[in-house]
Amino acid sequence: MTLSILTYLSALEKMVSKSTLLEDIEKKELWAVCIHEYGHSVVGNTFGIQSWTDIWRNESGDFYEKAWRGQTIHSEITGEQLILFSMAGIVSEILLINFLDENERYTLEDAESDAEIIRKKYSTGRHRTRTAFTQFCYRVLEAINEKYDNDELSETDLIGMGNYSINHVRKTVRLVLKNSEEIIEMATLNYNYLFDAENLELNEPEQEAQP
């Protein structure tokens, strides 16, 4: 009897641990989707682009798919602005989530400081010295390519990004860093709304059948 109880408690503990782990993963996935979509939206606003963001739970039942999905629909946009808008989502994820987890943060102030040093050192002509900001942007480019290799970029973003270059990465990084507070604020509002709404739905008592 004692052995059976211990076995049961052990199995229960594993189930609870697994449930907690899955819940933590889903929270991280929801936060990533919110940051991604509002990266698109906020950067788009800097161009005067109207956009509409929708985030929903993935009901496919496929264990290998992420628990949350998102989409940001925008008004007509072409050329370089389309590339920067499309790149803003994944760059926001990289800068505001991935690099923070790795303690690899670079601020807009850092970028401006580097640029000022270069301006003073090279008053005229082109220079060949790679600034710390440029080096950082190449690191972001590597992270984008890694996500592409891992099939983490949506088809919509890939089409919009087109033949992007390091110059597009530099511009997008600056835009995301400059507007990071607003991106995080908007993402937090939607995250809390969706998280609270889901908890309310899960904890809502079942309605008794009416006679």
Side-chain angles (χ1 to χ4, degrees):
M1 178 68 73
T2 303
L3 182 60
S4 297
I5 292 174
L6 289 175
T7 302
Y8 168 76
L9 291 175
S10 176
L12 181 61
E13 182 180 5
K14 289 180 181 179
M15 289 174 61
V16 172
S17 298
K18 184 176 180 180
S19 176
T20 303
L21 177 61
L22 289 174
E23 184 178 322
D24 288 343
I25 291 173
E26 289 189 4
K27 286 179 181 178
K28 289 180 179 180
E29 289 179 353
L30 174 56
W31 178 240
V33 171
C34 289
I35 286 290
H36 183 109
E37 298 305 332
Y38 283 100
H40 287 308
S41 178
V42 172
V43 167
N45 286 343
T46 67
F47 303 138
I49 297 167
Q50 289 185 313
S51 61
W52 299 266
T53 295
D54 188 20
I55 297 172
W56 65 94
R57 172 169 278 285
N58 182 5
E59 302 289 354
S60 72
D62 189 334
F63 178 80
Y64 294 100
E65 292 183 359
K66 292 185 177 181
W68 294 89
R69 293 187 178 279
Q71 183 180 28
T72 299
I73 301 171
H74 55 80
S75 55
E76 185 175 352
I77 174 176
T78 58
E80 185 179 67
Q81 287 188 350
L82 176 60
I83 296 175
L84 302 184
F85 178 93
S86 302
M87 187 175 286
I90 198 63
V91 170
S92 294
E93 275 192 64
I94 291 167
L95 295 181
L96 305 179
I97 299 178
N98 302 145
F99 280 10
L100 288 185
D101 291 343
E102 299 168 11
N103 294 319
E104 185 180 354
R105 185 169 186 176
Y106 199 91
T107 67
L108 188 62
E109 289 74 21
D110 295 328
E112 296 299 341
S113 176
D114 285 342
E116 182 62 26
I117 292 171
I118 291 299
R119 280 193 291 267
K120 289 179 178 179
K121 190 173 181 180
Y122 301 91
S123 56
T124 60
R126 295 180 61 84
H127 61 82
R128 295 182 180 180
T129 304
R130 181 179 290 184
T131 66
F133 178 68
T134 301
Q135 184 65 45
F136 178 79
C137 289
Y138 272 101
R139 174 72 186 90
V140 174
L141 178 59
E142 289 175 7
I144 293 173
N145 292 337
E146 286 173 11
K147 288 183 178 292
Y148 172 80
D149 291 339
N150 294 329
D151 199 26
E152 295 181 35
L153 297 179
S154 72
E155 184 177 351
T156 302
D157 285 351
L158 283 173
I159 292 173
M161 288 162 63
N163 296 319
Y164 62 89
S165 68
I166 185 62
N167 288 330
H168 295 122
V169 175
R170 285 171 59 90
K171 291 179 180 180
T172 308
V173 167
R174 281 187 177 276
L175 285 167
V176 170
L177 290 176
K178 185 176 182 180
N179 297 280
S180 60
E181 289 187 8
E182 185 177 356
I183 293 171
I184 291 171
E185 180 182 0
M186 297 296 292
T188 300
L189 287 173
N190 207 342
Y191 174 90
N192 289 336
Y193 169 77
L194 291 167
F195 186 74
D196 291 343
E198 176 142 304
N199 281 343
L200 183 64
E201 182 178 338
L202 289 174
N203 297 321
E204 192 175 63
E206 294 184 6
Q207 297 291 328
E208 293 185 6
Q210 296 296 323

